[in-house]
Amino acid sequence: MSTLGDTAAAAPAERKTILVVDDTPDNLSLMSGLLRDEYKVKLANSGEKALKAVQGDNPPDLILLDIMMPGMSGYEVCEALKADPKTRPIPVIFLTAMSAPEDEQKGLELGAVDYVTKPISPSLFLARVRNHLAMRAQAQELERWARTLEQRVADGVAEVERLNRLRRFFSPAVADLLLTAAADDPLAPRKREIVVVFLDLRGYTAFTEAQGPDVVIRVLGEFHAAMGELIMAAGGTLERFAGDGLMIFFNDPIEISDPDGTAVEMTLRMQRRFQDLQALWETRGYTLAMGIGMARGTATIGAIGYEGRRDYGAIGSVTNLAARLCGEAKGGQILVSASVAERAAGRHRFQGLAPVTLKGFPQPVAVAEVLAPEA
């Protein structure tokens, strides 16, 4: 059974064109008979006609050029060909009875690729023609490669910029998947059901008022680095940093089977990692704690902002609910909406709490607290 690749491989290559320039009819007939089985052959019986024959959209791929001709000599024709940028790349082989070393030297200095003296050996001559045509094909391919190099470089830079842009929001694994899978634009707006996580520091305002900017930036750097590592490991999408707070969501741009359980697992690891940070900061005299809120719901997701400054964001009541639950959580506490607790109950432990009244929500909201795993 044939395939497209087989058909393409079997298709004959387009025959190359050779221009033979000689003022002797017998020589033109001889060369035409020798070449026509492999190549398209054009004939010119003078230098002036040769220069006309190379003009146009289909110049020959190689020129066989006699030297001793009335009117323009072969040397003069070669010199004219090499002076014109359009015809300069065409390889010229002098085919002549002039066998003196100085004649050959002059021909090569004028830009010919070869110098063959008559009488010729047909097999050796054809081999030399094939070699020069092969080198011409390689040179043309290099020209095409050079012409497209700038565009390829620009495309490569754009790809790197796109990757860096994606890595601002997504875990490296997700960013790589989006690029290699030729997925739709992940920054295009859409609706998606997601699990949103908010976390921020307790005691942060008092801390910033008591400490200098260098200390504040260092502590935030330690906090962001520790939490960021866990976000990346969990495959979460980091929506934004907000000073001492972070917003993360799951199930976009890649849908996952258990976003609720994955998010809860991440927050438990965050609280354990935060205990190490607390111990470090206490040795420096800083008292900070972390509260976490989590909710599930439908959001509008995509790039927001203006040209030159865009962020990737999720918009909807689910983000507000997660933020409000984060605000209700005490230091060390993880509060989740009832929908998250229901879906993640088989994987984690929860304790239902009394419904809470939250700003912006007309009815009390059912919430639960995430409990640490049983020892």
Side-chain angles (χ1 to χ4, degrees):
M1 176 174 162
S2 66
T3 65
L4 180 62
D6 296 332
T7 303
E14 183 179 353
R15 295 204 299 173
K16 302 295 185 182
T17 299
I18 296 178
L19 173 63
V20 183
V21 186
D22 199 303
D23 65 314
T24 305
D26 288 345
N27 289 340
L28 291 176
S29 178
L30 174 66
M31 296 311 301
S32 177
L34 182 63
L35 297 168
R36 65 189 174 195
D37 288 343
E38 291 187 51
Y39 308 105
K40 296 178 183 178
V41 181
K42 292 183 177 182
L43 303 176
N45 60 6
S46 70
E48 291 82 0
K49 290 182 179 180
L51 293 179
K52 290 181 180 179
V54 300
Q55 302 303 317
D57 297 331
N58 296 301
D61 298 288
L62 184 142
I63 298 173
L64 299 177
L65 182 59
D66 188 22
I67 293 178
M68 295 182 294
M69 295 184 295
M72 292 184 73
S73 71
Y75 289 143
E76 293 171 321
V77 173
C78 185
E79 192 171 16
L81 289 169
K82 299 306 174 182
D84 187 342
K86 293 181 180 179
T87 57
R88 185 180 303 140
I90 304 173
V92 174
I93 298 177
F94 279 116
L95 182 59
T96 178
M98 297 173 62
S99 58
E102 56 270 23
D103 296 326
E104 180 175 356
Q105 179 180 350
K106 182 176 180 180
L108 296 177
E109 288 176 348
L110 287 172
V113 296
D114 207 345
Y115 191 98
V116 179
T117 57
K118 305 171 184 176
I120 64 169
S121 165
S123 59
L124 291 177
F125 175 72
L126 287 174
R128 294 169 89 157
V129 168
R130 294 187 193 105
N131 286 342
H132 287 297
L133 284 172
M135 288 188 285
R136 167 65 173 152
Q138 291 175 348
Q140 289 174 323
E141 183 61 28
L142 285 174
E143 280 181 35
R144 285 191 290 270
W145 186 89
R147 284 195 300 268
T148 60
L149 176 60
E150 183 176 350
Q151 183 59 48
R152 288 199 299 273
V153 170
D155 290 344
V157 170
E159 189 71 3
V160 170
E161 289 177 348
R162 184 178 178 221
L163 176 59
N164 289 336
R165 187 182 180 199
L166 291 176
R167 288 188 187 277
R168 289 178 56 199
F169 309 115
F170 311 133
S171 67
V174 171
D176 292 340
L177 178 62
L178 288 169
L179 288 171
T180 58
D184 294 337
D185 183 2
L187 304 183
R190 61 194 171 279
K191 290 280 190 179
R192 180 69 61 82
E193 189 165 8
I194 59 174
V195 175
V196 181
V197 178
F198 261 93
L199 55 131
D200 67 11
L201 298 176
R202 304 292 181 262
Y204 179 72
T205 300
F207 165 73
T208 58
E209 291 175 352
Q211 304 297 330
D214 292 345
V215 171
V216 172
I217 292 298
R218 181 177 68 174
V219 166
L220 280 181
E222 293 168 344
F223 173 58
H224 290 156
M227 299 302 108
E229 180 182 346
L230 296 174
I231 294 168
M232 295 295 105
T237 299
L238 177 61
E239 204 257 20
R240 65 174 178 268
F241 293 98
D244 62 324
L246 291 86
M247 174 180 161
I248 310 106
F249 52 84
F250 290 84
N251 211 40
D252 182 88
I254 303 299
E255 295 185 67
I256 59 178
S257 59
D258 183 18
D260 306 86
T262 302
V264 172
E265 178 65 30
M266 179 194 71
T267 57
L268 286 168
R269 291 180 178 177
M270 284 177 163
Q271 288 291 16
R272 290 195 293 269
R273 179 71 66 85
F274 192 80
Q275 290 174 0
D276 297 334
L277 286 177
Q278 279 183 308
L280 171 65
W281 293 339
E282 285 174 0
T283 64
R284 302 175 186 166
Y286 317 144
T287 302
L288 295 166
M290 181 175 68
I292 300 177
M294 187 187 313
R296 179 189 181 101
T298 301
T300 298
I301 301 174
I304 56 177
Y306 55 89
E307 192 62 35
R309 181 64 176 90
R310 296 189 186 278
D311 284 325
Y312 184 73
I315 302 169
S317 62
V318 62
T319 63
N320 296 333
L321 178 55
R324 296 287 184 258
L325 291 175
C326 178
E328 289 290 318
K330 300 183 179 72
Q333 192 175 37
I334 305 169
L335 295 184
V336 303
S337 64
S339 60
V340 171
E342 289 171 5
R343 287 177 171 83
R347 183 172 171 183
H348 299 285
R349 299 170 61 234
F350 299 90
Q351 177 180 327
L353 303 177
V356 295
T357 300
L358 301 175
K359 182 180 179 181
F361 292 85
Q363 301 296 326
V365 177
V367 300
E369 179 180 359
V370 180
L371 300 179
E374 292 180 324

